[in-house]
Amino acid sequence: MDKVFVILQSMIDYPTLKVIWWALIGFLLLGFALTDGFDMGVGILLPFIGKTDTERRVIINAIGPTWEGNQVWLITAGGAIFAAWPLVYAASFSGFYFAMLLVLFALFMRPVGFEYRAKRDDPRWHASWDWALFAGSAIPALVFGIVFGNLLQGVPFYLDPEMRVTYHGSFFGLLNPFALLCGTISLGMLIAHGAAFLRIKTDGAIAHRSSYVLFIAALITVVLFIIAGILIATQITGFKITQAAPLDAAANPLLKRVITAPGLWISNYAAYPWTMLAPAISIAAGMLAPLLALSSLTILNFIMTGLLVIGIILTAGISMFPFVMPSSINPISSLTLWDSTSSYLTLSIMLFIVIIFMPLIILYTGWVYHVMWGKVTEQGVKGNTHSMY
């Protein structure tokens, strides 16, 4: 094992390893948004697209076999942030404590909703759990978008010389107009993604209604995304490092120098024009998705909504690079991937584990979806009352 780390150290230096882990955490977040994202989109649509109890059972069983595995992406991403960016983990749970608790309690509604809905043959009982599944899907989707909106504006915290985090915000302070705009974008893209998935997994009236929802949700998402981009370029205060800490210095966010000004978040696109592909892909996919919503190309339609999700998240990540959690109170306290990471040894061990297990997880996930492929129908649900949700 020691020889492996010696070889790794000779191949990858510390700054490169930090960038690799920024990309890996981004990959985990994308995996969560793409897989559990359509689960949440389906959960949000459940009380509205399903007009009868049987239709709602069809919708639930469309995601029933895979939703638990999809949610593991969120747990893995949280664990990776804790191990790779411990200071970010500590600061984020200080600033977003009540928001994260709200997400946690909302997520509790999903497993109990899936398991308990069919325990009683009572329309009111079923309706109550349907709305619980709606809340367990809509609240996290909205809150995650709000959190990203606040990150782009800067979080009201600072670090003292002992690296202790002091937070000066409130839960309701997170609910500012720009953050709510980002939360609405998050909701819209996941609703579109969920509707696209329902078009693949269902037929008849459910698929037909999903097509119209997808058409509207994708258009709204693209329009709001463009509005958010204009605000970021002209109104929202961005951050930029003007003097980095020495490469051989200990990880200390207070050693750098940072400036703030409206429009600075787009400086990465000017420095690296190829990064414009991220917003371009999201806008193009978001415009193609409504055009395909009324066609029979359901898989291509699902790919387009997936690219919409990927493009939006990559746009946010590229805009903020290398910042992870900017500080609106003391910009020098802003946390970046350069000065808030774990040691080289920790990142190396984690990378070694990822290289071994990540391909296995991806292959297993692909195999599960292959086995569970096929449409869920009303006849199938009615004929399997005791083996399906």
Side-chain angles (χ1 to χ4, degrees), residues 226-243:
I226 293 173
I227 292 173
I230 294 172
L231 290 175
I232 288 173
T234 59
Q235 303 293 325
I236 302 301
T237 298
F239 296 71
K240 184 177 181 179
I241 297 175
T242 57
Q243 182 180 337

Side-chain angles (χ1 to χ4, degrees), residues 278-352:
I281 286 172
S282 60
I283 293 173
M287 295 178 68
L288 285 172
L291 298 178
L292 295 169
L294 304 179
S295 73
S296 60
L297 303 174
T298 56
I299 294 179
L300 181 59
N301 203 182
F302 183 68
I303 292 173
M304 288 300 107
T305 58
L307 289 175
L308 173 65
V309 172
I310 291 173
I312 290 175
I313 294 176
L314 285 180
T315 299
I318 292 170
S319 299
M320 291 180 59
F321 183 90
F323 290 88
V324 180
M325 191 171 179
S327 169
S328 59
I329 294 180
N330 180 19
I332 295 177
S333 296
S334 299
L335 304 178
T336 74
L337 66 93
W338 307 123
D339 53 33
S340 58
T341 55
S342 295
S343 67
Y344 185 92
L345 179 61
T346 300
L347 297 183
S348 299
I349 293 173
M350 291 170 58
L351 181 61
F352 181 72

Side-chain angles (χ1 to χ4, degrees), residues 25-37 70 73-74 310 313:
I25 291 175
F27 177 77
L28 291 173
L29 293 175
L30 282 173
F32 166 67
L34 286 174
T35 57
D36 208 32
N70 292 341
W73 285 93
L74 176 61
I310 291 173
I313 294 176

